[in-house]
Amino acid sequence: MADIIQLLPDHVANQIAAGEVVQRPASVVKELLENAIDAGADTIKLIIKDAGKTLVQVIDNGKGMSTTDARLSFERHATSKIRSAEDLFQLHTKGFRGEALASIAAIAHVELKTKQESDDVGNVLVIEGSNITSQDIVVTPTGTSVSVKNLFFNIPARRNFLKSDTVELRHIIDEFHRVALAHPGISFALYNNGSESFNLPISNYRQRIVNIFGAKTNEKLVPVEEDTEVLNISGFVGKPEFAKKTRGEQYFFVNDRFIKSAYLNHAIASAFEGLLKTGTHASYFLNLTVDPQTIDINIHPTKTEIKFDDEHTLYALLRSAVKHSLGQFNIAPVLDFERDPNLDTPYSYKKNETSVPKVEVDRSFNPFQEEKISKPRVANYKKEPTESWESLYVGLESKGNHSKQEFSAITFESEERTASIFDDDKQVEKTHTTYQLHNKYIVSTIKSGMMVIDQHRAHQRVLYEDFLKNLTIKEAASQQLLFPLQLHFSPQDIVIINQLKVDLEHTGFVFSSVMEELVEITGVPVGVPESEVSIILEQLVSDVENEVPESHFSASDLLAKSMAKSLAIKTGQSLQKDEQEHLVNKLFACKEPNVSPTNRTTFITMSVDELDKKFI
């Protein structure tokens, strides 16, 4: 029988490896930035076009490569980072697998320019789908420039799986943030479609966080410092009052490498226990330094997962360090009935030396000296004669007739009306008998039996169609705020809000100004409470970044869905009888009452026959 096992060609093997290493343009950005850091660069530029689909270019001023190294760097498992298997447990570099450049070259057009400081001229390599088409001498500054063009040009199926430019750019910026936060001692710049998005100078860790997430971030940070034999912890956590609905600002770095760890994240959550509102997540930017021999990075090609030798100890130390910082800076309340807060020493005086207090004496004081006591003057006044009590009732009879006439003309203020969650002037037709079950479901009787409605999903459907109608007709009502509402966002969030500004105005928002890190709102849609505005906009920005729903939906549809989700009545909210019946009537006035905006069932029916079967 003929042999059937054969070795795969190199270009096929490279494409298979590329499937693990390069999932999207952001993967290319991560690999190239990490190579630039390993090359010893202190200035790195990232240039993006069309969210990385057309061009991803990284320029650094590192040590560069020789002619041989430049060609060899695109071979599989060729690396300068390790020499033996033992080096895998003594890693001090970002890369070590030797797969990234070979994988990228297999699925894109790559141009590499590199020059060492000792050389007069550099080299340029052009590669298309693993094939080196040219290698020549070029004049270029010291360092390396790698341009990756037309990603997935030879794998159209993979290219079709890419999301819209907004989502892909969001992933690129996320990777850029992760690398830039881990290395505040390196200058980073990001250019997107010809415009500068980020320019991060060399700074300390706190300044780097502020430069990325905006000046308002500075007041949100609480320092965390802990130094033990097992683990060194440094960085910052966010104050509980600034916790967000999304997990965007959560960063763990182990030995200057970004990682994801649900286990360590739980340690932070337990440290914040009792301080956060339900459904919110604390921000943190924490650097963990451990012995390289106690961790295994070689678990996944993306290297974002790490295996620790002793996770339980790390969990306990991390939880204690964060809890200590929150208590030290009076973020977490302390329950001590015998403690007098007036006796606490301020932290600013902690290192001050104590000194003997000075006692001042008044030498001129004489306790036996006689003092002239002046008698108080008695004021002369004339006492007015008090009228008898009968005089109080004089003239009431004559005024009696007038008072009756005046009383009938008095108008009183109308009784205070409690605002309903539904703003509809029409009187609700009381055709159905409804009941609320567990403050979650509305049970209504119908001819064939009964109907159970999910109040949250049903209200989402009602609001969604209302917002979509307002966006289409562009005549939404707005209620003016007594004082302008100022909300702070990061620069990249402001870009998204600017894109959606026109659509938001059609729903009823009124913007007085949108600046680099500040949004000022003077009007909100009718029925939207002022306290919910920041939550709505945060949720909207998050939905746009993660593209919920997918790219084939319009911005108006996305906006209507996001606002409906934020403003719909929540599970657990008690409704009055007329509110329940009104919600039922409004639901069945919708075009698609059967499903919520996210295509989930809004109600179920149960016939009398089905109920009868339950009693058999």
Side-chain angles (χ1 to χ4, degrees):
M1 187 174 177
D3 298 333
I4 58 174
I5 295 175
Q6 57 184 347
L7 286 172
L8 289 173
D10 281 347
H11 69 278
V12 177
N14 284 340
Q15 285 192 9
I16 293 170
E20 290 183 335
V21 179
V22 185
Q23 281 104 25
R24 55 187 354 135
S27 308
V28 177
V29 170
K30 173 183 178 293
E31 298 295 344
L32 296 184
L33 287 177
E34 289 182 349
N35 280 346
I37 292 167
D38 286 340
D42 61 8
T43 302
I44 300 173
K45 292 180 182 177
L46 171 62
I47 300 169
I48 300 294
K49 283 187 181 175
D50 299 331
K53 297 171 185 175
T54 303
L55 172 69
V56 174
Q57 184 177 8
V58 173
I59 305 168
D60 68 65
N61 64 345
K63 55 190 173 188
M65 289 183 280
S66 65
T67 306
T68 308
D69 284 347
R71 196 176 183 104
L72 193 60
S73 63
F74 289 96
E75 297 295 327
R76 288 192 71 204
H77 307 305
T79 180
S80 62
K81 317 295 171 63
I82 61 173
R83 291 284 181 268
S84 64
E86 287 74 22
D87 293 343
L88 287 172
F89 298 97
Q90 287 287 346
L91 288 172
H92 298 282
T93 57
K94 301 290 182 188
F96 55 86
R97 296 169 65 93
E99 284 186 329
L101 287 179
S103 300
I104 292 167
I107 52 173
H109 296 158
V110 179
E111 183 184 72
L112 170 73
K113 291 181 181 178
T114 184
K115 173 184 166 298
Q116 292 180 320
E117 192 174 2
S118 57
D119 297 336
D120 295 328
V121 292
N123 291 278
V124 57
L125 252 74
V126 179
I127 303 173
E128 295 180 4
S130 294
N131 298 319
I132 298 177
T133 57
S134 69
Q135 181 172 1
D136 210 345
I137 294 172
V138 68
V139 176
T140 183
T142 301
T144 305
S145 168
V146 184
S147 302
V148 179
K149 304 172 186 175
N150 306 322
L151 194 65
F152 300 124
F153 78 99
N154 53 355
I155 313 178
R158 289 291 297 277
R159 193 175 179 89
N160 291 337
F161 284 136
L162 294 179
K163 307 287 186 183
S164 68
D165 285 0
T166 307
V167 176
E168 294 301 337
L169 181 62
R170 179 70 237 172
H171 284 288
I172 288 172
I173 290 174
D174 281 345
E175 290 294 349
F176 179 78
H177 285 174
R178 291 167 182 176
V179 177
L181 283 170
H183 300 276
I186 300 176
S187 171
F188 288 91
L190 170 59
Y191 299 89
N192 177 36
N193 292 335
S195 63
E196 184 181 86
S197 298
F198 290 94
N199 192 349
L200 309 174
I202 295 172
S203 60
N204 60 34
Y205 193 45
R206 188 175 195 128
Q207 288 172 331
R208 177 56 56 90
I209 295 170
V210 170
N211 288 335
I212 290 177
F213 295 102
K216 192 71 178 174
T217 315
N218 192 35
E219 67 185 60
K220 304 177 184 178
L221 301 178
V222 178
V224 178
E225 289 286 342
E226 194 65 48
D227 194 355
T228 67
E229 294 179 0
V230 182
L231 171 71
N232 292 342
I233 304 171
S234 65
F236 301 90
V237 293
K239 294 179 181 176
E241 59 264 33
F242 297 106
K244 292 192 170 185
K245 290 275 186 182
T246 56
R247 297 178 180 270
E249 296 179 1
Q250 295 186 337
Y251 294 89
F252 273 126
F253 300 98
V254 174
N255 295 355
D256 293 336
R257 184 190 301 276
F258 173 80
I259 66 153
K260 295 176 182 176
S261 173
Y263 187 66
L264 295 183
N265 181 69
H266 189 272
I268 304 293
S270 62
F272 275 91
E273 190 175 2
L275 299 175
L276 299 177
K277 293 180 183 176
T278 306
T280 59
H281 307 281
S283 304
Y284 54 79
F285 311 87
L286 295 173
N287 297 304
L288 313 180
T289 306
V290 299
D291 185 353
Q293 293 185 352
T294 63
I295 57 174
D296 185 6
I297 304 167
N298 193 23
I299 292 176
H300 193 272
T302 59
K303 299 189 280 286
T304 56
E305 297 174 21
I306 288 183
K307 187 70 178 172
F308 295 97
D309 271 2
D310 190 0
E311 283 188 326
H312 298 291
T313 304
L314 297 185
Y315 182 100
L317 288 171
L318 189 59
R319 181 177 177 272
S320 300
V322 173
K323 214 169 181 63
H324 174 69
S325 289
L326 292 174
Q328 183 182 14
F329 291 93
N330 291 330
I331 306 299
V334 179
L335 195 63
D336 186 355
F337 297 106
E338 296 180 359
R339 173 177 157 270
D340 185 356
N342 296 321
L343 300 177
D344 288 351
T345 304
Y347 281 94
S348 56
Y349 292 93
K350 185 179 178 182
K351 296 181 181 178
N352 289 5
E353 294 182 2
T354 56
S355 59
V356 179
K358 295 179 180 178
V359 180
E360 294 182 359
V361 179
D362 185 4
R363 304 289 181 185
S364 62
F365 176 71
N366 184 1
F368 303 103
Q369 185 177 354
E370 293 182 1
E371 292 183 5
K372 293 181 181 179
I373 302 171
S374 58
K375 294 181 180 179
R377 284 187 178 182
V378 179
N380 296 325
Y381 65 93
K382 184 181 180 182
K383 190 174 180 181
E384 295 289 337
T386 307
E387 294 182 2
S388 61
W389 64 271
E390 290 93 343
S391 63
L392 297 173
Y393 295 92
V394 175
L396 283 180
E397 288 141 3
S398 60
K399 293 178 183 176
N401 297 328
H402 296 293
S403 61
K404 288 178 182 176
Q405 294 172 3
E406 290 171 2
F407 186 77
S408 61
I410 293 175
T411 57
F412 293 94
E413 285 185 354
S414 58
E415 292 183 4
E416 183 183 351
R417 292 184 60 190
T418 305
S420 170
I421 56 172
F422 308 106
D423 298 321
D424 196 344
D425 296 330
K426 295 179 182 178
Q427 182 64 29
V428 179
E429 296 179 8
K430 299 188 177 181
T431 53
H432 298 290
T433 306
T434 59
Y435 306 94
Q436 194 175 20
L437 184 64
H438 292 295
N439 288 345
K440 182 177 183 180
Y441 300 106
I442 297 172
V443 181
S444 178
T445 55
I446 53 176
K447 287 183 180 179
S448 60
M450 60 182 277
M451 176 171 57
V452 183
I453 302 168
D454 186 312
Q455 65 184 35
H456 178 63
R457 294 181 189 176
H459 198 208
Q460 271 194 59
R461 166 53 64 179
V462 173
L463 291 176
Y464 168 69
E465 294 201 2
D466 283 345
F467 285 130
L468 211 54
K469 182 182 175 183
N470 292 339
L471 284 166
T472 308
I473 301 172
K474 302 179 181 178
E475 292 180 358
S478 177
Q479 59 185 10
Q480 295 300 305
L481 299 174
L482 187 60
F483 300 104
L485 186 64
Q486 293 187 338
L487 303 174
H488 294 269
F489 290 93
S490 63
Q492 54 267 34
D493 290 347
I494 293 290
V495 172
I496 295 172
I497 290 172
N498 269 321
Q499 293 171 356
L500 299 171
K501 185 181 174 186
V502 176
D503 287 330
L504 282 167
E505 286 171 343
H506 292 158
T507 62
F509 282 98
V510 179
F511 295 90
S512 58
S513 65
V514 179
M515 291 174 276
E516 284 186 3
E517 296 178 10
L518 182 70
V519 174
E520 193 172 81
I521 297 172
T522 55
V524 295
V526 175
V528 176
E530 188 176 335
S531 58
E532 292 282 324
V533 173
S534 61
I535 297 171
I536 292 168
L537 291 180
E538 273 183 24
Q539 184 67 53
L540 179 61
V541 168
S542 174
D543 286 348
V544 171
E545 288 174 350
N546 300 310
E547 200 162 55
V548 183
E550 298 295 336
S551 56
H552 54 272
F553 287 92
S554 66
S556 301
D557 186 81
L558 170 58
L559 180 59
K561 283 186 178 178
S562 184
M563 288 183 64
K565 181 170 65 175
S566 299
L567 292 173
I569 54 174
K570 303 295 187 285
T571 297
Q573 185 171 339
S574 178
L575 302 179
Q576 300 296 325
K577 281 282 183 185
D578 55 346
E579 290 177 330
Q580 297 169 23
E581 293 176 0
H582 186 64
L583 177 56
V584 174
N585 292 337
K586 288 285 283 183
L587 175 64
F588 289 101
C590 293
K591 291 181 180 178
E592 293 184 27
N594 298 324
V595 291
S596 70
T598 51
N599 289 323
R600 304 182 75 179
T601 305
T602 55
F603 67 89
I604 58 167
T605 58
M606 188 173 286
S607 66
V608 176
D609 293 338
E610 288 176 299
L611 286 170
D612 288 341
K613 290 176 183 177
K614 302 286 184 185
F615 291 94
I616 294 175

